[in-house]
């Protein structure tokens, strides 16, 4: 009986569905037609948001590629790359010239050629800070090529060894006057400059480093301290003397030898620029302590072993190190 009733119910449901009975409960849904995607270009609306602004990228000025040329009122100091040795050319605000040291003998031709490239045809003064060969090796070639007006030194070695005696003989043959400088002497290169000798002292130590010429050049509000190969005893004497050491530019003593240019000395000098004449050497010069101390004081550092010829100019107010000639280790 239950089976027959179930059959009747199922048959009734089938008939109800066939004649659309379920359409009253589930309305018909027509298929949706999706329009094709347009590939035609469309107009881009400009960005008018005030928060998004295009920023202009600044154009860097081209780097100067030529050395500064002498003009009235400009002091130019060339720290010449002579390898492991010293040579510095000063061209004064009124065109007077001084060469401090001439590098080792193997760099003599390079020094003469460099002076010629700067259009230096004669020297007013030639200076030997001391008699070591890395400073005077090129002297004879310079004297023959340029015949200086004066020769200045620290008195030379006591016994005048053969190399230094040849220089003195050549100077005598060319009738070049020779002056031996001591602390307190002044050098009359240019009326715009004040040059004062700070070392050696009145009594010779018989040590060429300790007796090395040291002098301070002042041009208006700027100054240069040339330290030659000053030794630690000479440095301590200068610190104890109370002499004014403050200088815009420091020519670091003895190629960056760590035994000199102490922290106290750098505080007293307080340079804006430090220059190291140095080449390949077995001593580890320049001492990283010195270059690091200069950098910590925000001083620019020029090194002839890294930068080649280092040029610094002064207009009497500020000193400028030319970027193409220095700065790689600053």
């Amino acid at each position: 009986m239950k089976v027959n009733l179930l059959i009747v119910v199922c048959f009734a449901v089938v008939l109800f569905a066939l004649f659309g009975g379920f359409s009253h409960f589930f309305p018909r849904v027509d298929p949706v037609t999706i329009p094709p995607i347009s590939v035609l270009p469309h107009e881009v609306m400009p960005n008018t948001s005030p928060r998004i602004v295009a920023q202009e990228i600044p154009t860097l000025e081209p780097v100067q590629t030529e050395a500064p040329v002498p003009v009235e009122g400009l002091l130019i100091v060339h720290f010449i790359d002579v390898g492991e040795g010293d040579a510095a050319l000063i061209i004064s605000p009124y065109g007077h010239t001084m060469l401090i040291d001439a590098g080792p003998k193997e760099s003599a031709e390079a020094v003469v050629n460099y002076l010629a490239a700067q259009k230096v045809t004669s020297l007013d003064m030639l200076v030997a800070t001391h008699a070591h060969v890395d400073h005077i090796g090129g002297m004879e070639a310079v004297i023959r090529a340029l015949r200086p007006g004066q020769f200045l030194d620290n008195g030379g070695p006591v016994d005048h060894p053969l190399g230094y005696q040849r220089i003195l003989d050549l100077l005598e043959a060319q009738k070049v006057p020779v002056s031996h400088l001591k602390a307190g002497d002044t050098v009359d290169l240019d009326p715009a400059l004040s040059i004062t000798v700070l070392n050696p002292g009145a009594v010779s130590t018989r040590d060429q480093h300790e007796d090395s010429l040291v002098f301070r050049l002042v041009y208006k509000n700027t100054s240069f301290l040339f330290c030659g190969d000053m030794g630690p005893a000479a440095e301590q004497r200068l610190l104890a003397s109370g002499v004014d050491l403050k200088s815009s530019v420091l020519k670091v003593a003895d190629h960056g030898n760590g035994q000199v240019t102490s922290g106290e000395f750098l505080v007293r000098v307080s340079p804006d620029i430090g220059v190291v004449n140095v080449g390949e050497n077995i001593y580890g010069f320049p001492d990283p302590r010195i270059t690091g101390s200069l950098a910590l004081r925000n001083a620019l550092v020029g090194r002839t072993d890294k930068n080649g010829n280092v040029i610094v100019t002064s207009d009497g107010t500020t000193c400028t190190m030319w970027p193409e000639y220095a700065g790689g280790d600053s």
Side-chain angles (χ1 to χ4, degrees):
M1 184 68 179
K2 289 182 180 180
V3 175
N4 292 336
L5 180 59
L6 181 60
I7 292 173
V8 172
V9 170
C10 290
F11 182 72
V13 169
V14 170
L15 290 177
F16 185 74
L18 288 175
F19 287 99
F22 287 106
S23 63
H24 296 290
F25 301 98
F26 302 99
R28 179 180 177 179
V29 179
D30 293 326
V32 177
T33 302
I34 301 174
I37 299 173
S38 173
V39 294
L40 295 176
H42 57 281
E43 183 180 0
V44 177
M45 297 298 293
N47 178 15
T48 59
S49 171
R51 294 173 296 175
I52 304 177
V53 180
Q55 296 187 9
E56 181 181 355
I57 298 175
T59 302
L60 298 177
E61 293 296 325
V63 175
Q64 186 77 29
T65 57
E66 296 181 358
V69 296
V71 294
E72 186 173 317
L74 184 68
L75 170 65
I76 307 175
V77 181
H78 300 254
F79 297 92
I80 306 171
D81 179 13
V82 292
E84 181 61 11
D86 263 26
L89 170 66
I90 297 174
I91 303 177
S92 80
Y94 291 101
H96 300 293
T97 55
M98 172 191 283
L99 181 68
I100 306 168
D101 293 329
K105 187 173 183 178
E106 56 268 26
S107 297
E109 183 178 358
V111 172
V112 171
N113 290 341
Y114 187 87
L115 298 181
Q118 307 310 316
K119 298 181 172 54
V120 175
T121 56
S122 64
L123 284 171
D124 292 297
M125 294 181 179
L126 177 61
V127 180
T129 59
H130 62 295
H132 287 166
V133 293
D134 56 331
H135 291 246
I136 63 166
M139 286 284 180
E140 291 182 69
V142 169
I143 294 167
R144 289 192 176 92
L146 296 165
R147 191 172 181 173
Q150 296 182 59
F151 181 79
L152 312 175
D153 71 0
N154 67 338
V158 176
D159 52 355
H160 285 181
L162 182 60
Y164 203 75
Q165 187 60 55
R166 283 200 305 264
I167 293 172
L168 296 176
D169 291 343
L170 181 58
L171 291 166
E172 183 178 5
Q174 294 199 2
K175 296 181 170 54
V176 177
V178 176
S179 297
H180 308 307
L181 302 179
K182 300 291 183 184
D185 291 340
T186 58
V187 178
D188 186 16
L189 175 66
D190 186 304
L193 305 178
S194 171
I195 304 176
T196 305
V197 179
L198 306 182
N199 198 67
V203 180
S204 172
T205 67
R206 304 180 68 90
D207 183 311
Q208 282 294 296
H209 278 188
E210 300 300 350
D211 287 341
S212 176
L213 276 177
V214 176
F215 57 90
R216 183 170 179 261
L217 180 156
V218 177
Y219 177 42
K220 296 183 180 178
N221 295 323
T222 64
S223 49
F224 290 68
L225 186 61
F226 296 89
C227 291
D229 271 8
M230 174 181 67
E235 178 180 300
Q236 289 304 311
R237 187 185 70 78
L238 290 181
L239 289 172
S241 72
V243 67
D244 186 6
L245 297 173
K246 177 73 176 70
S247 299
S248 313
V249 180
L250 170 67
K251 202 295 290 187
V252 174
D254 196 13
H255 321 289
N257 184 344
Q259 293 183 350
V260 284
T261 317
S262 64
E264 182 184 359
F265 186 77
L266 283 176
V267 169
R268 286 277 296 277
V269 178
S270 190
D272 299 314
I273 295 172
V275 180
V276 188
N277 277 84
V278 65
E280 184 177 349
N281 62 87
I282 62 174
Y283 309 108
F285 299 162
D287 191 304
R289 174 191 61 77
I290 298 173
T291 54
S293 295
L294 286 166
L296 286 174
R297 298 187 62 83
N298 294 319
L300 297 176
V301 178
R303 292 173 49 170
T304 56
D305 63 334
K306 290 183 174 294
N307 311 124
N309 305 306
V310 177
I311 301 178
V312 180
T313 59
S314 169
D315 60 5
T317 302
T318 59
C319 291
T320 302
M321 178 184 286
W322 288 61
E324 68 276 26
Y325 294 102
D329 196 49
S330 61

